[in-house]
Amino acid sequence: MVLRVRGVVLPEREERSFWIDGDRLRTDPVPGAETVVDGGWLLPGLVDVHTHPGTERRDPTERGTDLFSDEVLRRHLTDHRDAGVLLVRTPGTAARIPDWVEHDPELPRVRSAGRWLATPGRFFPGFGRDVSEADLVRSAVEEAQASSGWCKVIGDWKYDQPAVPLELLVAVVEAVHAVGGRVAVHCQTAEGCRNAVLAGADSLEHGMHLDPGLLDRMAAQGTALVPTLGVFGAGEERRRAAEPSAARDQWLAGWAGLPPGVRAAHEAGVTVLAGTDSFPCGTVAGEVGWLVRAGLPVAAAVGAASWTARDWLGLPGLVDGGPADLVAYATDPTLDAAALAHPSRIILRGRVIA
């Protein structure tokens, strides 16, 4: 059965009709097609570019890949899908995403980065893949080649400990790029952010204490910023209530500077993307709201969780021959981002989900 959808396509803001043939969008009319969307606003499927499905984040002292299960992975991805999130990037998991996920027509498309790569003292021990600094380059290439072409390096950890050395991170990025891969770097300290940018990383995850003087370089070399504002904002009250300490003060200072830093990054031409890094899954609409509050124009914030993110991950938007992944809304989400939480129709791989 061929399906037909009609609506105002974003970001172009043009009314169009598409016919869905299999899992592809077509612009040539097909007589007798069943109309499943007739009016409203059409977005390419939503995207969460920083999510960790498959692992229930409970007590960090619970170590190892036993935290990861196919059952939890399917549940998390289903939660994403039911919220209109039809593409996710997983920058690090406790175990590699299994191959069956990409072939399941009921689940979102996944771009994975293999296991977190953590050098000594820079992550929860045993939670990802613990490697020595001497083995980091080789391990990064292995994870990129065993996943969707991404690897994730824990570039720093505690505020009073050194970040991964710049020369080592440069070697990681060069080696992974040489095999066609891309590098995401966790960074929450000024040194960690600096090293990630100077090394030419493809994305900074979090970006606390990011020096504004690095933004032009980020924009020029295509390093994206994934600030995960919502997960930090949710933890602010708990941090403020904690006993005074240098670590607490550093965190609060980093959080205070993050929203204005995100706005400055956007204004400098850096690609800012929406990632939740939190549970429950399927809440990227809330992250878009945080981006708006940080000062991004509403359309840019929506794009950070839709067309901009899909393009950055190598997928087209709503075009002839493109993937039949779309979400319809009764009202224009680029005027009010809160509309993202209320899709009227979800279509994944050419199948009507809701």
Side-chain angles (χ1 to χ4, degrees), residues 77-94:
L77 290 176
T78 300
D79 289 343
H80 275 304
R81 181 204 69 192
D82 291 348
V85 179
L86 307 183
L87 171 64
V88 302
R89 183 188 63 143
T90 65
T93 46

PDB file of all heavy atoms in Angstrom, residues 77-94:
ATOM      1  N   LEU A  77      14.731   2.405  22.974  1.00  0.00           N
ATOM      2  CA  LEU A  77      14.571   2.853  21.591  1.00  0.00           C
ATOM      3  C   LEU A  77      13.098   3.011  21.231  1.00  0.00           C
ATOM      4  O   LEU A  77      12.723   3.906  20.467  1.00  0.00           O
ATOM      5  CB  LEU A  77      15.255   1.879  20.639  1.00  0.00           C
ATOM      6  CG  LEU A  77      16.790   1.883  20.686  1.00  0.00           C
ATOM      7  CD1 LEU A  77      17.348   0.795  19.769  1.00  0.00           C
ATOM      8  CD2 LEU A  77      17.361   3.244  20.309  1.00  0.00           C
ATOM      9  N   THR A  78      12.247   2.162  21.784  1.00  0.00           N
ATOM     10  CA  THR A  78      10.808   2.295  21.561  1.00  0.00           C
ATOM     11  C   THR A  78      10.283   3.587  22.186  1.00  0.00           C
ATOM     12  O   THR A  78       9.443   4.283  21.598  1.00  0.00           O
ATOM     13  CB  THR A  78      10.062   1.077  22.122  1.00  0.00           C
ATOM     14  OG1 THR A  78      10.530  -0.114  21.462  1.00  0.00           O
ATOM     15  CG2 THR A  78       8.559   1.207  21.903  1.00  0.00           C
ATOM     16  N   ASP A  79      10.786   3.933  23.360  1.00  0.00           N
ATOM     17  CA  ASP A  79      10.400   5.196  23.991  1.00  0.00           C
ATOM     18  C   ASP A  79      10.804   6.381  23.109  1.00  0.00           C
ATOM     19  O   ASP A  79      10.032   7.346  22.960  1.00  0.00           O
ATOM     20  CB  ASP A  79      11.050   5.330  25.362  1.00  0.00           C
ATOM     21  CG  ASP A  79      10.458   4.383  26.394  1.00  0.00           C
ATOM     22  OD1 ASP A  79       9.355   3.851  26.152  1.00  0.00           O
ATOM     23  OD2 ASP A  79      11.105   4.159  27.434  1.00  0.00           O
ATOM     24  N   HIS A  80      11.998   6.316  22.542  1.00  0.00           N
ATOM     25  CA  HIS A  80      12.421   7.368  21.612  1.00  0.00           C
ATOM     26  C   HIS A  80      11.446   7.451  20.433  1.00  0.00           C
ATOM     27  O   HIS A  80      10.938   8.525  20.091  1.00  0.00           O
ATOM     28  CB  HIS A  80      13.829   7.072  21.087  1.00  0.00           C
ATOM     29  CG  HIS A  80      14.939   7.543  21.968  1.00  0.00           C
ATOM     30  ND1 HIS A  80      15.065   8.851  22.374  1.00  0.00           N
ATOM     31  CD2 HIS A  80      16.008   6.891  22.498  1.00  0.00           C
ATOM     32  CE1 HIS A  80      16.153   8.988  23.123  1.00  0.00           C
ATOM     33  NE2 HIS A  80      16.734   7.816  23.216  1.00  0.00           N
ATOM     34  N   ARG A  81      11.203   6.320  19.820  1.00  0.00           N
ATOM     35  CA  ARG A  81      10.340   6.278  18.635  1.00  0.00           C
ATOM     36  C   ARG A  81       8.962   6.841  18.908  1.00  0.00           C
ATOM     37  O   ARG A  81       8.428   7.629  18.116  1.00  0.00           O
ATOM     38  CB  ARG A  81      10.221   4.826  18.149  1.00  0.00           C
ATOM     39  CG  ARG A  81       9.362   4.637  16.913  1.00  0.00           C
ATOM     40  CD  ARG A  81       8.824   3.229  16.851  1.00  0.00           C
ATOM     41  NE  ARG A  81       7.837   2.968  17.900  1.00  0.00           N
ATOM     42  CZ  ARG A  81       7.376   1.772  18.222  1.00  0.00           C
ATOM     43  NH1 ARG A  81       7.819   0.709  17.576  1.00  0.00           N
ATOM     44  NH2 ARG A  81       6.469   1.622  19.181  1.00  0.00           N
ATOM     45  N   ASP A  82       8.376   6.468  20.028  1.00  0.00           N
ATOM     46  CA  ASP A  82       7.023   6.912  20.334  1.00  0.00           C
ATOM     47  C   ASP A  82       6.940   8.415  20.607  1.00  0.00           C
ATOM     48  O   ASP A  82       5.844   8.990  20.621  1.00  0.00           O
ATOM     49  CB  ASP A  82       6.474   6.126  21.527  1.00  0.00           C
ATOM     50  CG  ASP A  82       6.221   4.663  21.181  1.00  0.00           C
ATOM     51  OD1 ASP A  82       6.259   4.315  19.983  1.00  0.00           O
ATOM     52  OD2 ASP A  82       6.002   3.862  22.116  1.00  0.00           O
ATOM     53  N   ALA A  83       8.087   9.050  20.819  1.00  0.00           N
ATOM     54  CA  ALA A  83       8.134  10.502  20.976  1.00  0.00           C
ATOM     55  C   ALA A  83       8.493  11.202  19.671  1.00  0.00           C
ATOM     56  O   ALA A  83       8.650  12.420  19.652  1.00  0.00           O
ATOM     57  CB  ALA A  83       9.141  10.868  22.062  1.00  0.00           C
ATOM     58  N   GLY A  84       8.620  10.434  18.596  1.00  0.00           N
ATOM     59  CA  GLY A  84       8.974  11.010  17.307  1.00  0.00           C
ATOM     60  C   GLY A  84      10.462  11.076  17.050  1.00  0.00           C
ATOM     61  O   GLY A  84      10.890  11.638  16.036  1.00  0.00           O
ATOM     62  N   VAL A  85      11.278  10.511  17.943  1.00  0.00           N
ATOM     63  CA  VAL A  85      12.735  10.465  17.754  1.00  0.00           C
ATOM     64  C   VAL A  85      13.044   9.238  16.903  1.00  0.00           C
ATOM     65  O   VAL A  85      12.989   8.105  17.382  1.00  0.00           O
ATOM     66  CB  VAL A  85      13.475  10.401  19.103  1.00  0.00           C
ATOM     67  CG1 VAL A  85      14.978  10.317  18.873  1.00  0.00           C
ATOM     68  CG2 VAL A  85      13.129  11.614  19.951  1.00  0.00           C
ATOM     69  N   LEU A  86      13.368   9.466  15.640  1.00  0.00           N
ATOM     70  CA  LEU A  86      13.502   8.377  14.681  1.00  0.00           C
ATOM     71  C   LEU A  86      14.944   8.118  14.287  1.00  0.00           C
ATOM     72  O   LEU A  86      15.224   7.236  13.464  1.00  0.00           O
ATOM     73  CB  LEU A  86      12.665   8.698  13.435  1.00  0.00           C
ATOM     74  CG  LEU A  86      11.194   9.051  13.735  1.00  0.00           C
ATOM     75  CD1 LEU A  86      10.432   9.271  12.441  1.00  0.00           C
ATOM     76  CD2 LEU A  86      10.529   7.995  14.603  1.00  0.00           C
ATOM     77  N   LEU A  87      15.875   8.876  14.885  1.00  0.00           N
ATOM     78  CA  LEU A  87      17.310   8.675  14.673  1.00  0.00           C
ATOM     79  C   LEU A  87      18.006   9.048  15.968  1.00  0.00           C
ATOM     80  O   LEU A  87      17.731  10.096  16.549  1.00  0.00           O
ATOM     81  CB  LEU A  87      17.812   9.555  13.525  1.00  0.00           C
ATOM     82  CG  LEU A  87      19.321   9.632  13.293  1.00  0.00           C
ATOM     83  CD1 LEU A  87      19.888   8.270  12.896  1.00  0.00           C
ATOM     84  CD2 LEU A  87      19.655  10.681  12.224  1.00  0.00           C
ATOM     85  N   VAL A  88      18.899   8.181  16.434  1.00  0.00           N
ATOM     86  CA  VAL A  88      19.668   8.486  17.637  1.00  0.00           C
ATOM     87  C   VAL A  88      21.140   8.226  17.369  1.00  0.00           C
ATOM     88  O   VAL A  88      21.506   7.377  16.554  1.00  0.00           O
ATOM     89  CB  VAL A  88      19.210   7.659  18.868  1.00  0.00           C
ATOM     90  CG1 VAL A  88      17.735   7.881  19.163  1.00  0.00           C
ATOM     91  CG2 VAL A  88      19.500   6.175  18.679  1.00  0.00           C
ATOM     92  N   ARG A  89      21.964   8.986  18.059  1.00  0.00           N
ATOM     93  CA  ARG A  89      23.399   8.689  18.107  1.00  0.00           C
ATOM     94  C   ARG A  89      23.725   8.326  19.540  1.00  0.00           C
ATOM     95  O   ARG A  89      23.330   9.027  20.477  1.00  0.00           O
ATOM     96  CB  ARG A  89      24.246   9.892  17.672  1.00  0.00           C
ATOM     97  CG  ARG A  89      25.750   9.566  17.647  1.00  0.00           C
ATOM     98  CD  ARG A  89      26.604  10.795  17.419  1.00  0.00           C
ATOM     99  NE  ARG A  89      26.460  11.754  18.498  1.00  0.00           N
ATOM    100  CZ  ARG A  89      27.468  12.500  18.988  1.00  0.00           C
ATOM    101  NH1 ARG A  89      28.683  12.382  18.481  1.00  0.00           N
ATOM    102  NH2 ARG A  89      27.251  13.369  19.943  1.00  0.00           N
ATOM    103  N   THR A  90      24.420   7.233  19.716  1.00  0.00           N
ATOM    104  CA  THR A  90      24.796   6.773  21.045  1.00  0.00           C
ATOM    105  C   THR A  90      26.294   6.976  21.212  1.00  0.00           C
ATOM    106  O   THR A  90      27.081   6.138  20.786  1.00  0.00           O
ATOM    107  CB  THR A  90      24.435   5.286  21.244  1.00  0.00           C
ATOM    108  OG1 THR A  90      25.210   4.484  20.351  1.00  0.00           O
ATOM    109  CG2 THR A  90      22.969   5.051  20.970  1.00  0.00           C
ATOM    110  N   PRO A  91      26.708   8.094  21.819  1.00  0.00           N
ATOM    111  CA  PRO A  91      28.144   8.338  21.993  1.00  0.00           C
ATOM    112  C   PRO A  91      28.671   7.605  23.227  1.00  0.00           C
ATOM    113  O   PRO A  91      28.941   8.183  24.268  1.00  0.00           O
ATOM    114  CB  PRO A  91      28.212   9.853  22.156  1.00  0.00           C
ATOM    115  CG  PRO A  91      26.921  10.216  22.796  1.00  0.00           C
ATOM    116  CD  PRO A  91      25.910   9.224  22.291  1.00  0.00           C
ATOM    117  N   GLY A  92      28.799   6.305  23.078  1.00  0.00           N
ATOM    118  CA  GLY A  92      29.302   5.474  24.153  1.00  0.00           C
ATOM    119  C   GLY A  92      28.208   4.687  24.842  1.00  0.00           C
ATOM    120  O   GLY A  92      27.154   5.212  25.182  1.00  0.00           O
ATOM    121  N   THR A  93      28.458   3.408  25.009  1.00  0.00           N
ATOM    122  CA  THR A  93      27.565   2.520  25.743  1.00  0.00           C
ATOM    123  C   THR A  93      28.414   1.501  26.490  1.00  0.00           C
ATOM    124  O   THR A  93      29.615   1.351  26.245  1.00  0.00           O
ATOM    125  CB  THR A  93      26.602   1.768  24.804  1.00  0.00           C
ATOM    126  OG1 THR A  93      27.340   1.246  23.704  1.00  0.00           O
ATOM    127  CG2 THR A  93      25.498   2.664  24.288  1.00  0.00           C
ATOM    128  N   ALA A  94      27.783   0.786  27.429  1.00  0.00           N
ATOM    129  CA  ALA A  94      28.509  -0.215  28.203  1.00  0.00           C
ATOM    130  C   ALA A  94      28.861  -1.435  27.359  1.00  0.00           C
ATOM    131  O   ALA A  94      29.776  -2.183  27.693  1.00  0.00           O
ATOM    132  CB  ALA A  94      27.674  -0.642  29.410  1.00  0.00           C
TER     133      ALA A  94
END
